[in-house]
Amino acid sequence: MTNTAVSGVRWAGRARGLAVRLWAVPVVVAVWEAAARAVESVYFPPPSAILARLRELWFSGPPARLFLSDAAIADFVPSLGHLFGGWALACLGGIALGVAIGRSRTLAGYVDPLIEFGRAIPPPTLIPLFIVLFKADTRMQLATIVYGVIWPVLVNSVDGARYVDRLHIETARVFGLSRAERLVMVILPAAAPKIFAGLRLSLSLALILMVVAELVGSATSGIGYELIYTQQNFDLPGMWGTIAVLGVLGFLLNSSFLVVERRTLSWHRRAGRKG
């Protein structure tokens, strides 16, 4: 069988798997449509009305732009920028600090209580402080996302770096690897499964905090701004449509991250099967 045929078989299998996982979606939509039309409540519009409003708001653009309207670009671009910018900053800081703390018992003894205290504070409660420090602009939104997202990355990085097999470290020393080489070739690969678990959790939190921050600090654009705008103007189909877009966005982000994680950690799964 040629490589093209093998690739086609794989894609067909993945498509079938996706259809099996998502079989409940059309069922739920059909039940929702029937129930909404039976109840006829203005607060719970049917999916058909929500989709029509979504198309009007965000998906009435030209095919060259994937049907995205000007309003969609104005809302999606800043929101995704806040999400990925805050997430990236939190991931870099969380991994760097987490590995340093995980490899130093002395440092861990000083900062562990601070970590437990800091991650117990709900990020939305600090939004007034961030507004005072950074004003109600992009910096405030990024600060909110970074503060809420960094904790799962930090904690998982600490655990991953702390419990690296001592035999691997000693073997690296015997072979004369420097401290930096041990970090790159031994510690980070061993801690990678834990780190990726924290990254995946933090990505979902970043989406939530992006919306929370934009509900408070976005003046004219963003998905969070659109959500509060539709609520205030009693545009119920638009409000439900925005909520649906956030759900789809969360699903796509999680699915994309899982693909990256599987490819990045494929060596770990193979090692586990051999073990």
Side-chain angles (χ1 to χ4, degrees):
M1 186 179 292
T2 64
N3 290 336
T4 303
V6 171
S7 178
V9 171
R10 288 178 178 173
W11 278 109
R14 290 173 182 172
R16 286 195 297 270
L18 182 62
V20 169
R21 292 199 304 271
L22 298 180
W23 67 268
V25 174
V27 175
V28 171
V29 171
V31 172
W32 183 0
E33 181 80 21
R37 290 186 178 278
V39 174
E40 295 183 344
S41 172
V42 68
Y43 297 106
F44 298 99
S48 57
I50 294 172
L51 288 174
R53 182 62 177 140
L54 264 183
R55 183 180 182 280
E56 181 184 352
L57 280 174
W58 283 333
F59 299 104
S60 57
R65 291 196 319 208
L66 301 178
F67 301 100
L68 294 175
S69 64
D70 292 338
I73 294 175
D75 287 331
F76 292 170
V77 170
S79 290
L80 293 177
H82 299 152
L83 189 156
F84 289 117
W87 183 67
L89 289 173
C91 291
L92 291 174
I95 293 172
L97 289 173
V99 172
I101 295 169
R103 299 308 303 167
S104 173
R105 291 185 179 181
T106 303
L107 181 59
Y110 285 111
V111 302
D112 276 350
L114 297 177
I115 293 175
E116 296 303 321
F117 175 81
R119 73 191 189 106
I121 301 175
T125 63
L126 295 179
I127 288 180
L129 173 62
F130 293 146
I131 291 176
V132 171
L133 294 175
F134 305 114
K135 309 300 182 184
D137 58 14
T138 298
R139 292 175 299 170
M140 181 278 292
Q141 295 165 16
L142 289 175
T144 302
I145 295 172
V146 170
Y147 182 84
V149 165
I150 195 172
W151 303 112
V153 180
L154 177 61
V155 171
N156 278 273
S157 298
V158 169
D159 287 344
R162 179 174 293 165
Y163 298 111
V164 176
D165 192 330
R166 190 173 183 83
L167 178 61
H168 294 168
I169 300 294
E170 295 300 329
T171 302
R173 286 175 178 161
V174 169
F175 279 95
L177 270 66
S178 66
R179 188 182 295 270
E181 290 172 332
R182 292 198 299 270
L183 173 65
V184 174
M185 300 176 64
V186 179
I187 296 172
L188 287 178
K194 276 278 190 178
I195 292 174
F196 267 87
L199 295 179
R200 182 184 177 189
L201 178 58
S202 68
L203 187 57
S204 300
L205 289 175
L207 177 62
I208 295 170
L209 291 172
M210 175 203 77
V211 176
V212 172
E214 288 185 346
L215 288 176
V216 176
S218 181
T220 58
S221 64
I223 301 176
Y225 165 79
E226 191 65 38
L227 179 61
I228 196 68
Y229 180 83
T230 53
Q231 288 177 345
Q232 292 173 345
N233 288 275
F234 298 99
D235 180 5
L236 279 306
M239 182 195 74
W240 281 102
T242 304
I243 294 172
V245 166
L246 289 170
V248 171
L249 179 59
F251 173 79
L252 293 176
L253 289 174
N254 184 69
S255 300
S256 301
F257 185 85
L258 285 176
V259 171
V260 174
E261 182 182 27
R262 289 193 189 102
R263 293 186 177 182
T264 305
L265 299 182
S266 58
W267 62 269
H268 184 265
R269 294 198 302 274
R270 290 196 297 268
R273 285 196 295 268
K274 290 179 180 179

